Amino acid sequence: MTKLKDKRREKTSVASEIDRLEERRARCQDNLGRAEYRSRRETLSDKDRQDLEDEMTIINERVLKLDKELQTLRGENRRNMLLSVALLVISALFYYVFFVNEEDS
């Protein structure tokens, strides 16, 4: 199952993976907000309150994990962008050296 997910992720771009993770993070934040609201507004038994706090802890851990993944993907995206810019500059330099200089000769 995990190999299938890894293969699927290999086929997606870094930007679409970032978007997907940001959406998941937003959903987790919404769920966390609802749980916090529920803990403040409702009178809960001790067991229900403990269950809600456990749920909030799990959601917080998911958010932290997603933040780490997003940070890694953004670094990879930044590196890809720098590589693209470097290739563009090298291509422009070769174009100038081989085509523009030939016309001047």
Side-chain angles (χ1 to χ4, degrees):
M1 180 81 174
T2 58
K3 289 183 181 183
L4 181 62
K5 284 184 180 180
D6 290 339
K7 270 191 171 183
R8 203 176 318 138
R9 284 185 183 170
E10 286 176 7
K11 293 180 182 180
T12 61
S13 69
V14 174
S16 62
E17 187 69 15
I18 288 172
D19 289 340
R20 187 183 69 79
L21 288 177
E22 284 177 343
E23 287 174 11
R24 284 183 60 196
R25 186 181 183 283
R27 281 186 300 218
C28 284
Q29 290 286 42
D30 288 343
N31 291 341
L32 184 62
R34 280 191 220 109
E36 287 175 350
Y37 178 79
R38 185 173 168 217
S39 71
R40 284 191 314 261
R41 296 294 176 181
E42 294 180 13
T43 54
L44 301 170
S45 67
D46 289 339
K47 182 185 180 307
D48 289 340
R49 184 167 301 281
Q50 184 62 40
D51 290 344
L52 192 59
E53 287 176 6
D54 291 344
E55 181 182 343
M56 288 169 56
T57 303
I58 291 170
I59 293 172
N60 277 326
E61 290 172 359
R62 284 183 189 159
V63 168
L64 291 175
K65 181 182 172 191
L66 289 171
D67 283 342
K68 286 180 184 178
E69 286 184 49
L70 280 168
Q71 185 178 12
T72 302
L73 285 173
R74 286 182 178 132
E76 187 176 332
N77 196 30
R78 202 173 301 118
R79 188 177 63 237
N80 289 344
M81 187 260 318
L82 288 173
L83 181 64
S84 297
V85 169
L87 288 173
L88 178 67
V89 168
I90 290 170
S91 299
L93 182 65
F94 277 126
Y95 176 79
Y96 177 76
V97 167
F98 290 114
F99 294 110
V100 175
N101 278 345
E102 278 186 17
E103 291 175 4
D104 290 343
S105 297

